[in-house]
Amino acid sequence: MYLNDNIQPSTSNHDQETCDQTRAPNSYTPKLNKISDLSGSCMHKAAHETQHNYTTQENSLYDKESKLKQIVVLKICEQLGRSWRDVCRYMDLKEYQIDEIQNKYPYNLKEQSFQALQICISEYDSNWKINILHALEKGRRKDIKEFVEKILLCKEM
């Protein structure tokens, strides 16, 4: 029941007050009478929570993907040896980039292969798994390819 300036709110037979409490005329201050006032803030809060949950899930997926990349690259680097150049060529790494990596880390094959694979993966961020598997196969390192496939299959389940 709404108040007019001239009319006092009436109570029902059970002496319960309406949602607008009894007040003197001309001293009416509205409370949340509209559902839209309440639902607007609730909808905003729900939308914010949903967005937060989605962002959290997205970050979680990103973290899992980056950890998987790290595991795969480290396992490949342990076993790749001197054939890292051939594998990275099949991943379209340029010769000058290969030369730069060799000059920067001249006596460390693991570091050379790690740096080269990091560059290759960053270029093929969306389908890096397929590109690594193809490059390992073309670079005649099927042993490592099969090992990486096992890692990828186990981590995706």
Side-chain angles (χ1 to χ4, degrees), residues 46-63:
H48 179 68
E49 288 175 2
T50 304
Q51 182 181 6
H52 175 70
N53 290 342
Y54 178 74
T55 306
T56 304
Q57 289 174 348
E58 190 176 275
N59 288 341
S60 175
L61 290 175
Y62 178 76
D63 290 343

Side-chain angles (χ1 to χ4, degrees), residues 52-79:
H52 175 70
N53 290 342
Y54 178 74
T55 306
T56 304
Q57 289 174 348
E58 190 176 275
N59 288 341
S60 175
L61 290 175
Y62 178 76
D63 290 343
K64 287 180 184 178
E65 187 74 13
S66 64
K67 286 179 184 178
L68 182 62
K69 281 182 191 178
Q70 202 172 32
I71 290 169
V72 168
V73 168
L74 290 174
K75 293 296 182 180
I76 291 172
C77 291
E78 288 175 4
Q79 301 175 17

Side-chain angles (χ1 to χ4, degrees), residues 9-148:
S10 63
T11 57
S12 66
N13 292 340
H14 302 342
D15 292 337
Q16 295 176 344
E17 294 182 347
T18 61
C19 60
D20 300 323
Q21 295 183 354
T22 307
R23 298 182 191 277
N26 297 331
S27 68
Y28 175 69
T29 56
K31 293 190 176 189
L32 286 177
N33 290 332
K34 299 178 186 175
I35 293 176
S36 63
D37 292 344
L38 181 60
S39 65
S41 64
C42 291
M43 286 182 196
H44 178 69
K45 184 177 179 183
H48 179 68
E49 288 175 2
T50 304
Q51 182 181 6
H52 175 70
N53 290 342
Y54 178 74
T55 306
T56 304
Q57 289 174 348
E58 190 176 275
N59 288 341
S60 175
L61 290 175
Y62 178 76
D63 290 343
K64 287 180 184 178
E65 187 74 13
S66 64
K67 286 179 184 178
L68 182 62
K69 281 182 191 178
Q70 202 172 32
I71 290 169
V72 168
V73 168
L74 290 174
K75 293 296 182 180
I76 291 172
C77 291
E78 288 175 4
Q79 301 175 17
L80 199 55
R82 285 180 277 155
S83 58
W84 71 266
R85 295 174 204 87
D86 295 327
V87 170
C88 289
R89 283 185 187 111
Y90 287 115
M91 292 182 74
D92 296 329
L93 192 67
K94 307 289 187 251
E95 282 299 317
Y96 77 89
Q97 292 172 313
I98 292 173
D99 292 339
E100 284 178 2
I101 293 170
Q102 282 181 312
N103 290 334
K104 196 170 186 178
Y105 308 100
Y107 303 109
N108 193 345
L109 282 176
K110 286 184 182 179
E111 188 63 31
Q112 290 173 357
S113 60
F114 178 79
Q115 294 298 324
L117 287 172
Q118 288 293 94
I119 292 170
C120 295
I121 286 177
S122 66
E123 290 177 9
Y124 298 108
D125 199 36
S126 61
N127 51 357
W128 63 272
K129 298 172 193 173
I130 295 169
N131 290 327
I132 279 186
L133 293 175
H134 284 283
L136 287 169
E137 187 172 352
K138 287 180 181 179
R140 295 170 292 171
R141 293 307 308 256
K142 290 184 182 179
D143 57 327
I144 301 174
K145 178 193 173 224
E146 292 171 357
F147 183 71
V148 170

